[in-house]
Amino acid sequence: MSPSKSSSLAARLWAESGDLADSCLHHPFVAGIGDGSLDRDAFRRYVAQDAFFLHAFLRAYALAAARSETVGDAAVFHELMGGVLAELELHGRYAQALGIDLAHITPYPACRAYTDFLLRTAWTASLGETLAALTPCMRLYVFLGTELAKGRGVDGPYADWIKTYSSPEISALGAKLEMLLDRVAADTPAVRDAYRYAMECELEFFSAPLEAAQSSGA
C-alpha cells in the first residue's frame, strides 16, 4: 500500500521501505530466530556484531543530542540512549552465556559500513538526516519483534530476543524517535536516502553472520 500524502514523514518513509522490511522479516536469519532453528554459532556471531553496532548507535544518539535545539528533544535522546544501554545489558548476558569477548570484536564489512555511515552522518549531516539514519533500526526491530511474537518462537531458544523487541517499552521508544523525526526533519532527498540506506544496511547486517559461516566452512 502506498503511503498517504497526509501521513507523517516517518510513516511515509517506513511504508516506502516496506519491501526491505518484508525482506528482513523473511530473511533466513530472522526466520531462524522466529522458529528457533537458527544455528547457535550464527547467533553468537550476530550478538558480537550487534554489540559493536550498538556502541556506535549510542555515540550517534549522543552526537544528535548535543545538536538538539530544545531541552525536550535532548531529553528524548537521553531516554533513547537509556534504551540502547538496556540492549547492551541483554547482549552482555548473551555474551556471558555464549562465551563472547565483547572487548575484542572485529566488525564484519556489513557492520562497519553501517556504523561508519551512522557516525559520519551524525558528525557531518543535518540533525534531520541523522534522525532519518537512526530511525530505521528502532522501527524495524519493533516490527520484527512484534511479528515474531505471533509465532511459536516466544517459547524457543531466542525467546528473550523476541520478548525484548516486542515489548511495549521498545515500541514506545521507537514511537518517540519517529516523533522526533517528524518534528525535526524535512522531506528531502537526503533524508529519504539516509532512511533507505539504513534499511539496506539492516538487511545486510542479518546476512553477515550466515555469510561468515559459509566463508569459513562452518
Side-chain angles (χ1 to χ4, degrees), residues 21-39 42-43 46 143-145 147-154 156-159 161-162 203 206-207 210:
D22 189 64
S23 293
C24 287
L25 179 61
H26 294 96
H27 191 283
F29 182 91
V30 177
I33 287 180
D35 63 17
S37 67
L38 180 67
D39 179 74
F43 187 71
Y46 161 82
F143 168 70
L144 296 177
E147 290 300 309
L148 296 184
K150 299 174 184 177
R152 57 189 177 87
V154 290
Y158 304 111
W161 193 97
I162 296 172
L203 185 58
F206 289 131
S207 295
L210 302 180

PDB file of all heavy atoms in Angstrom, residues 21-39 42-43 46 143-145 147-154 156-159 161-162 203 206-207 210:
ATOM      1  N   ALA A  21      11.673  -4.091   4.678  1.00  0.00           N
ATOM      2  CA  ALA A  21      11.185  -4.617   5.954  1.00  0.00           C
ATOM      3  C   ALA A  21      10.692  -6.051   5.783  1.00  0.00           C
ATOM      4  O   ALA A  21      10.963  -6.932   6.611  1.00  0.00           O
ATOM      5  CB  ALA A  21      10.061  -3.731   6.496  1.00  0.00           C
ATOM      6  N   ASP A  22       9.983  -6.291   4.694  1.00  0.00           N
ATOM      7  CA  ASP A  22       9.481  -7.639   4.419  1.00  0.00           C
ATOM      8  C   ASP A  22      10.634  -8.606   4.154  1.00  0.00           C
ATOM      9  O   ASP A  22      10.606  -9.757   4.613  1.00  0.00           O
ATOM     10  CB  ASP A  22       8.534  -7.595   3.220  1.00  0.00           C
ATOM     11  CG  ASP A  22       7.807  -8.914   3.008  1.00  0.00           C
ATOM     12  OD1 ASP A  22       7.021  -9.299   3.889  1.00  0.00           O
ATOM     13  OD2 ASP A  22       8.035  -9.557   1.963  1.00  0.00           O
ATOM     14  N   SER A  23      11.654  -8.139   3.446  1.00  0.00           N
ATOM     15  CA  SER A  23      12.821  -8.979   3.184  1.00  0.00           C
ATOM     16  C   SER A  23      13.533  -9.335   4.485  1.00  0.00           C
ATOM     17  O   SER A  23      14.018 -10.461   4.656  1.00  0.00           O
ATOM     18  CB  SER A  23      13.794  -8.267   2.241  1.00  0.00           C
ATOM     19  OG  SER A  23      13.228  -8.126   0.948  1.00  0.00           O
ATOM     20  N   CYS A  24      13.598  -8.385   5.407  1.00  0.00           N
ATOM     21  CA  CYS A  24      14.208  -8.664   6.711  1.00  0.00           C
ATOM     22  C   CYS A  24      13.390  -9.685   7.492  1.00  0.00           C
ATOM     23  O   CYS A  24      13.945 -10.624   8.090  1.00  0.00           O
ATOM     24  CB  CYS A  24      14.339  -7.377   7.522  1.00  0.00           C
ATOM     25  SG  CYS A  24      15.624  -6.242   6.939  1.00  0.00           S
ATOM     26  N   LEU A  25      12.089  -9.515   7.495  1.00  0.00           N
ATOM     27  CA  LEU A  25      11.219 -10.427   8.242  1.00  0.00           C
ATOM     28  C   LEU A  25      11.359 -11.855   7.746  1.00  0.00           C
ATOM     29  O   LEU A  25      11.332 -12.815   8.540  1.00  0.00           O
ATOM     30  CB  LEU A  25       9.762  -9.970   8.133  1.00  0.00           C
ATOM     31  CG  LEU A  25       8.724 -10.847   8.837  1.00  0.00           C
ATOM     32  CD1 LEU A  25       8.983 -10.902  10.339  1.00  0.00           C
ATOM     33  CD2 LEU A  25       7.317 -10.322   8.555  1.00  0.00           C
ATOM     34  N   HIS A  26      11.508 -12.037   6.438  1.00  0.00           N
ATOM     35  CA  HIS A  26      11.598 -13.369   5.852  1.00  0.00           C
ATOM     36  C   HIS A  26      13.035 -13.813   5.595  1.00  0.00           C
ATOM     37  O   HIS A  26      13.259 -14.858   4.984  1.00  0.00           O
ATOM     38  CB  HIS A  26      10.778 -13.411   4.555  1.00  0.00           C
ATOM     39  CG  HIS A  26       9.309 -13.235   4.784  1.00  0.00           C
ATOM     40  ND1 HIS A  26       8.683 -12.017   4.656  1.00  0.00           N
ATOM     41  CD2 HIS A  26       8.356 -14.108   5.178  1.00  0.00           C
ATOM     42  CE1 HIS A  26       7.398 -12.151   4.934  1.00  0.00           C
ATOM     43  NE2 HIS A  26       7.167 -13.400   5.253  1.00  0.00           N
ATOM     44  N   HIS A  27      13.985 -13.028   6.079  1.00  0.00           N
ATOM     45  CA  HIS A  27      15.386 -13.402   5.941  1.00  0.00           C
ATOM     46  C   HIS A  27      15.637 -14.686   6.735  1.00  0.00           C
ATOM     47  O   HIS A  27      15.076 -14.867   7.825  1.00  0.00           O
ATOM     48  CB  HIS A  27      16.271 -12.273   6.465  1.00  0.00           C
ATOM     49  CG  HIS A  27      17.712 -12.436   6.140  1.00  0.00           C
ATOM     50  ND1 HIS A  27      18.537 -13.310   6.820  1.00  0.00           N
ATOM     51  CD2 HIS A  27      18.493 -11.833   5.197  1.00  0.00           C
ATOM     52  CE1 HIS A  27      19.750 -13.245   6.319  1.00  0.00           C
ATOM     53  NE2 HIS A  27      19.763 -12.354   5.335  1.00  0.00           N
ATOM     54  N   PRO A  28      16.473 -15.601   6.240  1.00  0.00           N
ATOM     55  CA  PRO A  28      16.727 -16.859   6.960  1.00  0.00           C
ATOM     56  C   PRO A  28      17.198 -16.642   8.394  1.00  0.00           C
ATOM     57  O   PRO A  28      16.845 -17.431   9.285  1.00  0.00           O
ATOM     58  CB  PRO A  28      17.816 -17.527   6.116  1.00  0.00           C
ATOM     59  CG  PRO A  28      17.607 -16.990   4.736  1.00  0.00           C
ATOM     60  CD  PRO A  28      17.147 -15.582   4.911  1.00  0.00           C
ATOM     61  N   PHE A  29      17.971 -15.595   8.639  1.00  0.00           N
ATOM     62  CA  PHE A  29      18.441 -15.334   9.996  1.00  0.00           C
ATOM     63  C   PHE A  29      17.264 -14.991  10.914  1.00  0.00           C
ATOM     64  O   PHE A  29      17.109 -15.564  11.992  1.00  0.00           O
ATOM     65  CB  PHE A  29      19.459 -14.199  10.002  1.00  0.00           C
ATOM     66  CG  PHE A  29      20.029 -13.916  11.366  1.00  0.00           C
ATOM     67  CD1 PHE A  29      21.191 -14.549  11.790  1.00  0.00           C
ATOM     68  CD2 PHE A  29      19.400 -13.035  12.229  1.00  0.00           C
ATOM     69  CE1 PHE A  29      21.707 -14.315  13.054  1.00  0.00           C
ATOM     70  CE2 PHE A  29      19.913 -12.792  13.502  1.00  0.00           C
ATOM     71  CZ  PHE A  29      21.062 -13.431  13.904  1.00  0.00           C
ATOM     72  N   VAL A  30      16.441 -14.045  10.491  1.00  0.00           N
ATOM     73  CA  VAL A  30      15.304 -13.623  11.307  1.00  0.00           C
ATOM     74  C   VAL A  30      14.280 -14.750  11.433  1.00  0.00           C
ATOM     75  O   VAL A  30      13.732 -14.998  12.515  1.00  0.00           O
ATOM     76  CB  VAL A  30      14.658 -12.355  10.719  1.00  0.00           C
ATOM     77  CG1 VAL A  30      13.421 -11.955  11.525  1.00  0.00           C
ATOM     78  CG2 VAL A  30      15.667 -11.211  10.696  1.00  0.00           C
ATOM     79  N   ALA A  31      14.040 -15.450  10.337  1.00  0.00           N
ATOM     80  CA  ALA A  31      13.108 -16.578  10.387  1.00  0.00           C
ATOM     81  C   ALA A  31      13.605 -17.638  11.369  1.00  0.00           C
ATOM     82  O   ALA A  31      12.814 -18.256  12.091  1.00  0.00           O
ATOM     83  CB  ALA A  31      12.941 -17.177   8.998  1.00  0.00           C
ATOM     84  N   GLY A  32      14.931 -17.828  11.420  1.00  0.00           N
ATOM     85  CA  GLY A  32      15.509 -18.794  12.337  1.00  0.00           C
ATOM     86  C   GLY A  32      15.345 -18.387  13.791  1.00  0.00           C
ATOM     87  O   GLY A  32      15.174 -19.243  14.672  1.00  0.00           O
ATOM     88  N   ILE A  33      15.392 -17.086  14.066  1.00  0.00           N
ATOM     89  CA  ILE A  33      15.087 -16.612  15.417  1.00  0.00           C
ATOM     90  C   ILE A  33      13.631 -16.892  15.736  1.00  0.00           C
ATOM     91  O   ILE A  33      13.281 -17.337  16.831  1.00  0.00           O
ATOM     92  CB  ILE A  33      15.392 -15.104  15.544  1.00  0.00           C
ATOM     93  CG1 ILE A  33      16.901 -14.867  15.589  1.00  0.00           C
ATOM     94  CG2 ILE A  33      14.740 -14.519  16.792  1.00  0.00           C
ATOM     95  CD1 ILE A  33      17.297 -13.420  15.711  1.00  0.00           C
ATOM     96  N   GLY A  34      12.784 -16.656  14.744  1.00  0.00           N
ATOM     97  CA  GLY A  34      11.353 -16.815  14.962  1.00  0.00           C
ATOM     98  C   GLY A  34      10.920 -18.234  15.258  1.00  0.00           C
ATOM     99  O   GLY A  34      10.059 -18.469  16.123  1.00  0.00           O
ATOM    100  N   ASP A  35      11.502 -19.200  14.562  1.00  0.00           N
ATOM    101  CA  ASP A  35      11.082 -20.592  14.790  1.00  0.00           C
ATOM    102  C   ASP A  35      12.081 -21.386  15.642  1.00  0.00           C
ATOM    103  O   ASP A  35      11.907 -22.581  15.872  1.00  0.00           O
ATOM    104  CB  ASP A  35      10.813 -21.319  13.463  1.00  0.00           C
ATOM    105  CG  ASP A  35      12.048 -21.435  12.576  1.00  0.00           C
ATOM    106  OD1 ASP A  35      13.181 -21.266  13.073  1.00  0.00           O
ATOM    107  OD2 ASP A  35      11.879 -21.691  11.365  1.00  0.00           O
ATOM    108  N   GLY A  36      13.132 -20.711  16.085  1.00  0.00           N
ATOM    109  CA  GLY A  36      14.096 -21.354  16.972  1.00  0.00           C
ATOM    110  C   GLY A  36      15.139 -22.204  16.284  1.00  0.00           C
ATOM    111  O   GLY A  36      15.950 -22.844  16.951  1.00  0.00           O
ATOM    112  N   SER A  37      15.158 -22.193  14.950  1.00  0.00           N
ATOM    113  CA  SER A  37      16.054 -23.079  14.211  1.00  0.00           C
ATOM    114  C   SER A  37      17.418 -22.462  13.914  1.00  0.00           C
ATOM    115  O   SER A  37      18.299 -23.142  13.394  1.00  0.00           O
ATOM    116  CB  SER A  37      15.399 -23.497  12.888  1.00  0.00           C
ATOM    117  OG  SER A  37      15.258 -22.381  12.016  1.00  0.00           O
ATOM    118  N   LEU A  38      17.599 -21.184  14.234  1.00  0.00           N
ATOM    119  CA  LEU A  38      18.858 -20.510  13.915  1.00  0.00           C
ATOM    120  C   LEU A  38      20.023 -21.196  14.617  1.00  0.00           C
ATOM    121  O   LEU A  38      19.959 -21.480  15.823  1.00  0.00           O
ATOM    122  CB  LEU A  38      18.796 -19.045  14.330  1.00  0.00           C
ATOM    123  CG  LEU A  38      20.055 -18.217  14.045  1.00  0.00           C
ATOM    124  CD1 LEU A  38      20.279 -18.068  12.554  1.00  0.00           C
ATOM    125  CD2 LEU A  38      19.956 -16.849  14.723  1.00  0.00           C
ATOM    126  N   ASP A  39      21.084 -21.440  13.865  1.00  0.00           N
ATOM    127  CA  ASP A  39      22.279 -22.054  14.419  1.00  0.00           C
ATOM    128  C   ASP A  39      22.843 -21.185  15.547  1.00  0.00           C
ATOM    129  O   ASP A  39      22.955 -19.965  15.407  1.00  0.00           O
ATOM    130  CB  ASP A  39      23.319 -22.224  13.306  1.00  0.00           C
ATOM    131  CG  ASP A  39      24.605 -22.832  13.807  1.00  0.00           C
ATOM    132  OD1 ASP A  39      24.628 -24.040  14.073  1.00  0.00           O
ATOM    133  OD2 ASP A  39      25.585 -22.076  13.944  1.00  0.00           O
ATOM    134  N   ALA A  42      25.721 -18.937  14.595  1.00  0.00           N
ATOM    135  CA  ALA A  42      25.318 -17.762  13.816  1.00  0.00           C
ATOM    136  C   ALA A  42      24.784 -16.675  14.746  1.00  0.00           C
ATOM    137  O   ALA A  42      25.083 -15.484  14.562  1.00  0.00           O
ATOM    138  CB  ALA A  42      24.259 -18.148  12.788  1.00  0.00           C
ATOM    139  N   PHE A  43      24.017 -17.082  15.750  1.00  0.00           N
ATOM    140  CA  PHE A  43      23.502 -16.109  16.713  1.00  0.00           C
ATOM    141  C   PHE A  43      24.652 -15.518  17.526  1.00  0.00           C
ATOM    142  O   PHE A  43      24.660 -14.320  17.832  1.00  0.00           O
ATOM    143  CB  PHE A  43      22.481 -16.754  17.641  1.00  0.00           C
ATOM    144  CG  PHE A  43      21.790 -15.775  18.551  1.00  0.00           C
ATOM    145  CD1 PHE A  43      20.876 -14.869  18.050  1.00  0.00           C
ATOM    146  CD2 PHE A  43      22.064 -15.768  19.915  1.00  0.00           C
ATOM    147  CE1 PHE A  43      20.244 -13.948  18.890  1.00  0.00           C
ATOM    148  CE2 PHE A  43      21.441 -14.859  20.761  1.00  0.00           C
ATOM    149  CZ  PHE A  43      20.522 -13.946  20.248  1.00  0.00           C
ATOM    150  N   TYR A  46      26.230 -12.907  15.507  1.00  0.00           N
ATOM    151  CA  TYR A  46      25.341 -11.755  15.443  1.00  0.00           C
ATOM    152  C   TYR A  46      25.430 -10.919  16.715  1.00  0.00           C
ATOM    153  O   TYR A  46      25.498  -9.679  16.653  1.00  0.00           O
ATOM    154  CB  TYR A  46      23.901 -12.224  15.232  1.00  0.00           C
ATOM    155  CG  TYR A  46      22.854 -11.210  15.590  1.00  0.00           C
ATOM    156  CD1 TYR A  46      22.494 -10.201  14.704  1.00  0.00           C
ATOM    157  CD2 TYR A  46      22.230 -11.246  16.844  1.00  0.00           C
ATOM    158  CE1 TYR A  46      21.532  -9.256  15.049  1.00  0.00           C
ATOM    159  CE2 TYR A  46      21.267 -10.314  17.185  1.00  0.00           C
ATOM    160  CZ  TYR A  46      20.932  -9.321  16.292  1.00  0.00           C
ATOM    161  OH  TYR A  46      19.987  -8.377  16.645  1.00  0.00           O
ATOM    162  N   PHE A 143       9.050  -3.822  14.576  1.00  0.00           N
ATOM    163  CA  PHE A 143       8.255  -4.578  13.600  1.00  0.00           C
ATOM    164  C   PHE A 143       8.582  -6.068  13.661  1.00  0.00           C
ATOM    165  O   PHE A 143       7.688  -6.919  13.739  1.00  0.00           O
ATOM    166  CB  PHE A 143       8.521  -4.028  12.205  1.00  0.00           C
ATOM    167  CG  PHE A 143       8.000  -4.877  11.078  1.00  0.00           C
ATOM    168  CD1 PHE A 143       6.640  -5.007  10.836  1.00  0.00           C
ATOM    169  CD2 PHE A 143       8.881  -5.561  10.248  1.00  0.00           C
ATOM    170  CE1 PHE A 143       6.163  -5.797   9.792  1.00  0.00           C
ATOM    171  CE2 PHE A 143       8.426  -6.349   9.207  1.00  0.00           C
ATOM    172  CZ  PHE A 143       7.054  -6.468   8.974  1.00  0.00           C
ATOM    173  N   LEU A 144       9.873  -6.396  13.645  1.00  0.00           N
ATOM    174  CA  LEU A 144      10.276  -7.798  13.657  1.00  0.00           C
ATOM    175  C   LEU A 144       9.866  -8.479  14.960  1.00  0.00           C
ATOM    176  O   LEU A 144       9.329  -9.596  14.948  1.00  0.00           O
ATOM    177  CB  LEU A 144      11.787  -7.913  13.466  1.00  0.00           C
ATOM    178  CG  LEU A 144      12.348  -7.414  12.135  1.00  0.00           C
ATOM    179  CD1 LEU A 144      13.867  -7.526  12.124  1.00  0.00           C
ATOM    180  CD2 LEU A 144      11.751  -8.185  10.960  1.00  0.00           C
ATOM    181  N   GLY A 145      10.113  -7.817  16.077  1.00  0.00           N
ATOM    182  CA  GLY A 145       9.744  -8.411  17.362  1.00  0.00           C
ATOM    183  C   GLY A 145       8.254  -8.654  17.468  1.00  0.00           C
ATOM    184  O   GLY A 145       7.814  -9.719  17.931  1.00  0.00           O
ATOM    185  N   GLU A 147       6.075  -9.062  14.996  1.00  0.00           N
ATOM    186  CA  GLU A 147       5.656 -10.129  14.089  1.00  0.00           C
ATOM    187  C   GLU A 147       6.094 -11.500  14.595  1.00  0.00           C
ATOM    188  O   GLU A 147       5.316 -12.459  14.566  1.00  0.00           O
ATOM    189  CB  GLU A 147       6.234  -9.880  12.692  1.00  0.00           C
ATOM    190  CG  GLU A 147       5.623  -8.700  11.963  1.00  0.00           C
ATOM    191  CD  GLU A 147       4.132  -8.859  11.760  1.00  0.00           C
ATOM    192  OE1 GLU A 147       3.713  -9.914  11.247  1.00  0.00           O
ATOM    193  OE2 GLU A 147       3.382  -7.936  12.115  1.00  0.00           O
ATOM    194  N   LEU A 148       7.322 -11.604  15.089  1.00  0.00           N
ATOM    195  CA  LEU A 148       7.809 -12.896  15.575  1.00  0.00           C
ATOM    196  C   LEU A 148       7.083 -13.332  16.846  1.00  0.00           C
ATOM    197  O   LEU A 148       6.955 -14.534  17.109  1.00  0.00           O
ATOM    198  CB  LEU A 148       9.310 -12.838  15.827  1.00  0.00           C
ATOM    199  CG  LEU A 148      10.207 -12.608  14.603  1.00  0.00           C
ATOM    200  CD1 LEU A 148      11.674 -12.668  15.006  1.00  0.00           C
ATOM    201  CD2 LEU A 148       9.917 -13.617  13.492  1.00  0.00           C
ATOM    202  N   ALA A 149       6.612 -12.380  17.623  1.00  0.00           N
ATOM    203  CA  ALA A 149       5.896 -12.708  18.858  1.00  0.00           C
ATOM    204  C   ALA A 149       4.570 -13.414  18.578  1.00  0.00           C
ATOM    205  O   ALA A 149       3.991 -14.035  19.479  1.00  0.00           O
ATOM    206  CB  ALA A 149       5.650 -11.442  19.674  1.00  0.00           C
ATOM    207  N   LYS A 150       4.113 -13.346  17.343  1.00  0.00           N
ATOM    208  CA  LYS A 150       2.868 -14.022  16.974  1.00  0.00           C
ATOM    209  C   LYS A 150       3.086 -15.514  16.747  1.00  0.00           C
ATOM    210  O   LYS A 150       2.125 -16.280  16.653  1.00  0.00           O
ATOM    211  CB  LYS A 150       2.291 -13.403  15.698  1.00  0.00           C
ATOM    212  CG  LYS A 150       1.948 -11.926  15.827  1.00  0.00           C
ATOM    213  CD  LYS A 150       1.530 -11.351  14.481  1.00  0.00           C
ATOM    214  CE  LYS A 150       1.267  -9.859  14.571  1.00  0.00           C
ATOM    215  NZ  LYS A 150       0.913  -9.272  13.237  1.00  0.00           N
ATOM    216  N   GLY A 151       4.347 -15.945  16.632  1.00  0.00           N
ATOM    217  CA  GLY A 151       4.657 -17.337  16.341  1.00  0.00           C
ATOM    218  C   GLY A 151       5.040 -18.125  17.574  1.00  0.00           C
ATOM    219  O   GLY A 151       4.899 -17.673  18.707  1.00  0.00           O
ATOM    220  N   ARG A 152       5.608 -19.288  17.354  1.00  0.00           N
ATOM    221  CA  ARG A 152       5.955 -20.181  18.457  1.00  0.00           C
ATOM    222  C   ARG A 152       7.324 -19.900  19.041  1.00  0.00           C
ATOM    223  O   ARG A 152       7.726 -20.521  20.025  1.00  0.00           O
ATOM    224  CB  ARG A 152       5.898 -21.634  17.986  1.00  0.00           C
ATOM    225  CG  ARG A 152       6.776 -21.980  16.789  1.00  0.00           C
ATOM    226  CD  ARG A 152       6.472 -23.388  16.292  1.00  0.00           C
ATOM    227  NE  ARG A 152       7.237 -23.742  15.087  1.00  0.00           N
ATOM    228  CZ  ARG A 152       8.449 -24.272  15.099  1.00  0.00           C
ATOM    229  NH1 ARG A 152       9.035 -24.520  16.265  1.00  0.00           N
ATOM    230  NH2 ARG A 152       9.064 -24.575  13.971  1.00  0.00           N
ATOM    231  N   GLY A 153       8.032 -18.937  18.456  1.00  0.00           N
ATOM    232  CA  GLY A 153       9.371 -18.632  18.938  1.00  0.00           C
ATOM    233  C   GLY A 153       9.409 -18.041  20.335  1.00  0.00           C
ATOM    234  O   GLY A 153      10.470 -18.001  20.972  1.00  0.00           O
ATOM    235  N   VAL A 154       8.260 -17.564  20.839  1.00  0.00           N
ATOM    236  CA  VAL A 154       8.231 -16.971  22.174  1.00  0.00           C
ATOM    237  C   VAL A 154       8.561 -17.999  23.252  1.00  0.00           C
ATOM    238  O   VAL A 154       8.848 -17.631  24.399  1.00  0.00           O
ATOM    239  CB  VAL A 154       6.859 -16.323  22.465  1.00  0.00           C
ATOM    240  CG1 VAL A 154       6.679 -15.075  21.624  1.00  0.00           C
ATOM    241  CG2 VAL A 154       5.723 -17.307  22.210  1.00  0.00           C
ATOM    242  N   GLY A 156      10.851 -20.485  22.433  1.00  0.00           N
ATOM    243  CA  GLY A 156      12.036 -21.134  21.894  1.00  0.00           C
ATOM    244  C   GLY A 156      13.323 -20.588  22.478  1.00  0.00           C
ATOM    245  O   GLY A 156      13.323 -19.789  23.423  1.00  0.00           O
ATOM    246  N   PRO A 157      14.457 -20.970  21.889  1.00  0.00           N
ATOM    247  CA  PRO A 157      15.767 -20.560  22.415  1.00  0.00           C
ATOM    248  C   PRO A 157      16.061 -19.070  22.286  1.00  0.00           C
ATOM    249  O   PRO A 157      16.947 -18.553  22.967  1.00  0.00           O
ATOM    250  CB  PRO A 157      16.746 -21.392  21.585  1.00  0.00           C
ATOM    251  CG  PRO A 157      15.998 -21.728  20.326  1.00  0.00           C
ATOM    252  CD  PRO A 157      14.577 -21.892  20.750  1.00  0.00           C
ATOM    253  N   TYR A 158      15.315 -18.375  21.425  1.00  0.00           N
ATOM    254  CA  TYR A 158      15.553 -16.945  21.235  1.00  0.00           C
ATOM    255  C   TYR A 158      14.384 -16.113  21.763  1.00  0.00           C
ATOM    256  O   TYR A 158      14.122 -15.004  21.302  1.00  0.00           O
ATOM    257  CB  TYR A 158      15.817 -16.649  19.756  1.00  0.00           C
ATOM    258  CG  TYR A 158      16.975 -17.472  19.236  1.00  0.00           C
ATOM    259  CD1 TYR A 158      16.776 -18.505  18.319  1.00  0.00           C
ATOM    260  CD2 TYR A 158      18.266 -17.263  19.719  1.00  0.00           C
ATOM    261  CE1 TYR A 158      17.837 -19.292  17.875  1.00  0.00           C
ATOM    262  CE2 TYR A 158      19.332 -18.039  19.286  1.00  0.00           C
ATOM    263  CZ  TYR A 158      19.110 -19.049  18.366  1.00  0.00           C
ATOM    264  OH  TYR A 158      20.158 -19.829  17.943  1.00  0.00           O
ATOM    265  N   ALA A 159      13.722 -16.666  22.759  1.00  0.00           N
ATOM    266  CA  ALA A 159      12.543 -16.009  23.332  1.00  0.00           C
ATOM    267  C   ALA A 159      12.882 -14.641  23.912  1.00  0.00           C
ATOM    268  O   ALA A 159      12.103 -13.686  23.769  1.00  0.00           O
ATOM    269  CB  ALA A 159      11.918 -16.893  24.403  1.00  0.00           C
ATOM    270  N   TRP A 161      15.134 -12.507  22.951  1.00  0.00           N
ATOM    271  CA  TRP A 161      15.279 -11.552  21.852  1.00  0.00           C
ATOM    272  C   TRP A 161      13.904 -11.088  21.382  1.00  0.00           C
ATOM    273  O   TRP A 161      13.645  -9.883  21.225  1.00  0.00           O
ATOM    274  CB  TRP A 161      16.036 -12.208  20.703  1.00  0.00           C
ATOM    275  CG  TRP A 161      16.533 -11.279  19.637  1.00  0.00           C
ATOM    276  CD1 TRP A 161      17.780 -10.757  19.520  1.00  0.00           C
ATOM    277  CD2 TRP A 161      15.782 -10.768  18.514  1.00  0.00           C
ATOM    278  NE1 TRP A 161      17.859  -9.952  18.407  1.00  0.00           N
ATOM    279  CE2 TRP A 161      16.658  -9.940  17.768  1.00  0.00           C
ATOM    280  CE3 TRP A 161      14.465 -10.936  18.077  1.00  0.00           C
ATOM    281  CZ2 TRP A 161      16.249  -9.287  16.611  1.00  0.00           C
ATOM    282  CZ3 TRP A 161      14.046 -10.275  16.922  1.00  0.00           C
ATOM    283  CH2 TRP A 161      14.933  -9.459  16.202  1.00  0.00           C
ATOM    284  N   ILE A 162      13.015 -12.035  21.177  1.00  0.00           N
ATOM    285  CA  ILE A 162      11.671 -11.704  20.687  1.00  0.00           C
ATOM    286  C   ILE A 162      10.909 -10.875  21.714  1.00  0.00           C
ATOM    287  O   ILE A 162      10.262  -9.869  21.372  1.00  0.00           O
ATOM    288  CB  ILE A 162      10.896 -12.989  20.342  1.00  0.00           C
ATOM    289  CG1 ILE A 162      11.583 -13.714  19.179  1.00  0.00           C
ATOM    290  CG2 ILE A 162       9.440 -12.668  19.988  1.00  0.00           C
ATOM    291  CD1 ILE A 162      11.009 -15.089  18.891  1.00  0.00           C
ATOM    292  N   LEU A 203      19.373  -5.087   6.339  1.00  0.00           N
ATOM    293  CA  LEU A 203      19.249  -6.358   5.626  1.00  0.00           C
ATOM    294  C   LEU A 203      20.609  -7.028   5.481  1.00  0.00           C
ATOM    295  O   LEU A 203      20.747  -8.243   5.706  1.00  0.00           O
ATOM    296  CB  LEU A 203      18.613  -6.118   4.258  1.00  0.00           C
ATOM    297  CG  LEU A 203      18.293  -7.365   3.419  1.00  0.00           C
ATOM    298  CD1 LEU A 203      17.347  -8.303   4.157  1.00  0.00           C
ATOM    299  CD2 LEU A 203      17.691  -6.953   2.076  1.00  0.00           C
ATOM    300  N   PHE A 206      21.861  -8.701   8.752  1.00  0.00           N
ATOM    301  CA  PHE A 206      21.334 -10.038   9.053  1.00  0.00           C
ATOM    302  C   PHE A 206      22.007 -11.113   8.208  1.00  0.00           C
ATOM    303  O   PHE A 206      22.111 -12.269   8.629  1.00  0.00           O
ATOM    304  CB  PHE A 206      19.818 -10.074   8.830  1.00  0.00           C
ATOM    305  CG  PHE A 206      19.034  -9.302   9.861  1.00  0.00           C
ATOM    306  CD1 PHE A 206      18.052  -8.395   9.469  1.00  0.00           C
ATOM    307  CD2 PHE A 206      19.258  -9.483  11.211  1.00  0.00           C
ATOM    308  CE1 PHE A 206      17.326  -7.687  10.415  1.00  0.00           C
ATOM    309  CE2 PHE A 206      18.541  -8.772  12.164  1.00  0.00           C
ATOM    310  CZ  PHE A 206      17.564  -7.869  11.759  1.00  0.00           C
ATOM    311  N   SER A 207      22.455 -10.752   7.034  1.00  0.00           N
ATOM    312  CA  SER A 207      23.116 -11.730   6.168  1.00  0.00           C
ATOM    313  C   SER A 207      24.520 -12.068   6.642  1.00  0.00           C
ATOM    314  O   SER A 207      24.993 -13.195   6.470  1.00  0.00           O
ATOM    315  CB  SER A 207      23.188 -11.198   4.727  1.00  0.00           C
ATOM    316  OG  SER A 207      21.911 -11.055   4.153  1.00  0.00           O
ATOM    317  N   LEU A 210      25.515 -15.302   8.642  1.00  0.00           N
ATOM    318  CA  LEU A 210      25.346 -16.522   7.853  1.00  0.00           C
ATOM    319  C   LEU A 210      26.436 -16.630   6.794  1.00  0.00           C
ATOM    320  O   LEU A 210      26.973 -17.706   6.549  1.00  0.00           O
ATOM    321  CB  LEU A 210      23.967 -16.553   7.205  1.00  0.00           C
ATOM    322  CG  LEU A 210      22.765 -16.461   8.155  1.00  0.00           C
ATOM    323  CD1 LEU A 210      21.464 -16.514   7.348  1.00  0.00           C
ATOM    324  CD2 LEU A 210      22.805 -17.574   9.188  1.00  0.00           C
TER     325      LEU A 210
END
